[in-house]
Structure formats: structure tokens, C-alpha cells
Amino acid sequence: MARYQLDARRLFCPMPVIRTQNKVAELQPGDVLEVTCTDPGALNDIPAWCRINGHRVLGSRREGNEVVIEVEVGDGA
């Protein structure tokens, strides 16, 4: 398992999800991707994308104006 970070700040829907999808496609099952966004909609959009595609949200939090979501890559990558 490896940890990666994705900076999706200053991007609006649907770009945080698209960037997350593109990065996850490069990773291995079990890897963890930490996505940092400024679009508050990502709190709903990225977990919904994960459910559909077999990935797991390990946690999410707000840090000021930013949203941070940790995604564990599943076998559906």
C-alpha cells in the first residue's frame, strides 16, 4: 500500500471527480489517495463515484475552505 496526494483545489464540478478517477486509474488496489478540493460538492460527488466504482472512502474532513477526502483504491480501478 502506498499513499498519494491529489491537489484538486480551484476546480469546479465535475473536475475534482474526473481528476480523482484519472489518478486512481494509475494506482494499485489498497493504495490510498488523499484528494484536496475547494469545491464543497466534492464531499458528495467523490464518495458517490467511489460507491459506483468499488473504491472506499476512509474519511473526509473540512480544513478551512478546503475539503480533504481519503480514498482507498479497490479492485474496480
Side-chain angles (χ1 to χ4, degrees):
M1 175 186 94
R3 294 187 65 85
Y4 298 89
Q5 294 185 333
L6 175 65
D7 184 354
R9 288 176 254 188
R10 296 174 298 285
L11 299 175
F12 297 103
C13 184
M15 290 310 297
V17 174
I18 291 171
R19 295 272 175 94
T20 299
Q21 176 180 322
N22 292 344
K23 183 65 178 176
V24 164
E26 301 172 4
L27 305 180
Q28 299 297 315
D31 287 348
V32 174
L33 178 63
E34 182 179 274
V35 184
T36 303
C37 308
T38 49
D39 179 1
L43 273 174
N44 295 318
D45 298 341
I46 291 175
W49 175 84
C50 286
R51 283 190 301 276
I52 291 168
N53 292 283
H55 309 296
R56 185 168 68 127
V57 174
L58 299 177
S60 61
R61 64 188 183 278
R62 288 184 183 265
E63 294 180 354
N65 293 332
E66 298 178 349
V67 171
V68 180
I69 303 168
E70 287 191 358
V71 175
E72 180 181 27
V73 178
D75 291 332

